[in-house]
Amino acid sequence: QVQLVESGGGLVQAGGSLRLSCAASGRSINNVNMGWFRQAPGKEREFVAGFTWTSIETYVVSVRGRFTISRDNAKNTVYLQMSKLKPEDTAVYYCALRDKYATVYDYWGQGTQVTVSS
């Protein structure tokens, strides 16, 4: 059974930084697609960053140059380093796993709240 557990959210002032973690169990992250998503109140969930099983990284335009996705295969953990945070980054952040050739993300974490104050 695949489980994803996010941590690292919190309250931060605009311009600050946070690092989110997503610890995976039940599946190695070494050969799957991983993504970070977020959902702000009243808005649809959006893709933020991810990497494919071939290690290609992608980012939504609004976070490029500010957020970095990375992984530690030994810890089976994915990270999202967020810097220069803006109030519009406030959301619940979720990590998700998509199997190698799958077209949808089948496994999701419970989410972690990120609040950026102005």
Side-chain angles (χ1 to χ4, degrees):
Q1 182 180 358
V2 177
Q3 286 191 323
L4 304 173
V5 179
E6 303 97 333
S7 61
L11 174 63
V12 63
Q13 288 189 333
S17 299
L18 280 175
R19 189 179 77 158
L20 305 183
S21 300
C22 172
S25 60
R27 185 76 54 86
S28 170
I29 65 169
N30 193 37
N31 207 27
V32 297
N33 309 284
M34 295 294 300
W36 283 98
F37 294 76
R38 66 187 179 187
Q39 187 166 20
K43 295 188 177 182
E44 293 188 353
R45 185 172 57 196
E46 66 168 347
F47 173 84
V48 175
F51 58 78
T52 67
W53 65 274
T54 55
S55 299
I56 296 173
E57 295 179 13
T58 56
Y59 299 89
V60 68
V61 171
S62 59
V63 307
R64 284 179 192 169
R66 300 190 298 122
F67 291 12
T68 303
I69 189 170
S70 63
R71 61 183 171 184
D72 185 331
N73 289 337
K75 294 182 178 180
N76 217 36
T77 299
V78 179
Y79 302 98
L80 184 68
Q81 177 68 47
M82 307 185 295
S83 60
K84 301 178 183 178
L85 283 162
K86 304 175 182 180
E88 51 263 43
D89 294 319
T90 295
V92 178
Y93 283 71
Y94 301 89
C95 72
L97 183 152
R98 176 164 60 88
D99 284 324
K100 191 172 180 179
Y101 297 117
T103 57
V104 297
Y105 285 87
D106 285 322
Y107 306 99
W108 294 83
Q110 82 289 351
T112 186
Q113 176 70 46
V114 172
T115 303
V116 184
S117 63
S118 57

